[in-house]
Amino acid sequence: MTFRLAHLTDPHVGPLSRPRLRQLMSKRATGWVNWSRGRKLTHDMEILAALVADLRAAAPDHIACTGDLCNIGLPSEWETARIFMEGLGEPGFVSFVPGNHDAYVRGSLKGLLDAVGPWTRDDAGRDKVFPYLRRRGPLALVGLSSAIPTAPFVASGRLGGDQIRAAERMLSELAAEPERPCRVVMIHHPPHVGGAKAGRNLTDAHAFEAMIGRVGADLVLHGHNHVGSVAFLMAPGGRRVPVIGAPSASARGGALKHCAGYHLYEIERTGTGFSLTATLRGLLPEGGLGDLGTLTLRA
């Protein structure tokens, strides 16, 4: 049986309401200027709506959304984010992890998670707790939060030792099951060393890599860079774990790799693990949406 998993990220849902003056007494001031001068044109809500419609028409069995629903963490964005998530799918059908723009200033992440918490609810009924575990078909989805508030012009993320240790226990226990599930890790920041430049990187990527080296995973999904990318981490037994980033779901772009897109995975159990096929769908050079390439992997 083939399980179809869709992955989209960085929708940066708009438009933004005009902030009150007191809301700009923080990092939001520079964010508002950046949004007004260019980002509002880069992230096109008509493109996002068309991409979501295309994704839903592909009839995936589940959807992973890896963060940056928000732009500058305004309270008005939290309701907009909830409406977007409802349009994407009901909470049991969509799994969400937050990004750096969702934690833009102190208090932003809590406000967002209060609005979209059901999309982080684990199999035990808890929400807004990371890491979380959701089982869907042959998949075990492990959701991590790398979202932390940072200084102006900094967009880095961090997991922290407690979260990494909890994820390690979770992945280890899943690996020990008689019929091991396909372990899919979801995170916003590229979790490998060199995945993003300093100031935009996951600051404890070395610790994440070491954890995967001890217990393994079958697939790691991330966003943040607004481009499609493929990397690999080493796992026990010399296995390579694919680490795949998706483009922004709303980017107009100026080059193909910067245009809006999402990945559609077909995952099948094999005798020794899982076969993974990832198809990138997004904006075509001639207009409209279509296939932009396929990648076949083995986990």
Side-chain angles (χ1 to χ4, degrees), residues 12 80 97 102 117 132 214:
H12 291 280
T80 303
V97 296
D102 300 320
Y132 67 72
R214 291 189 294 268

Side-chain angles (χ1 to χ4, degrees), residues 128-211:
K128 299 176 283 187
V129 177
F130 301 93
Y132 67 72
L133 172 63
R134 288 180 146 194
R135 294 176 184 267
R136 299 294 185 271
L139 271 57
L141 295 146
V142 176
L144 302 177
S145 175
S146 59
I148 56 171
T150 57
F153 309 110
V154 178
S156 57
R158 184 174 182 272
L159 291 169
D162 289 346
Q163 191 175 183
I164 290 176
R165 285 188 290 271
E168 181 166 0
R169 289 192 298 270
M170 196 174 285
L171 291 167
S172 179
E173 290 170 1
L174 290 167
E177 293 182 2
E179 189 171 59
R180 178 177 64 81
C182 181
R183 297 168 297 165
V184 179
V185 177
M186 300 176 298
I187 183 173
H188 178 72
H189 289 80
H192 52 295
V193 177
K197 64 182 180 181
R200 290 183 46 82
N201 60 322
L202 185 72
T203 58
D204 47 5
H206 280 100
F208 180 88
E209 284 195 3
M211 182 269 288

Side-chain angles (χ1 to χ4, degrees), residues 3-7 219 221 244 263-267 277-279:
F3 191 94
R4 291 161 62 84
L5 174 68
H7 171 217
L219 176 65
L221 306 178
I244 303 183
H263 282 123
L264 184 63
Y265 292 86
E266 294 193 349
I267 301 171
T277 301
T279 299

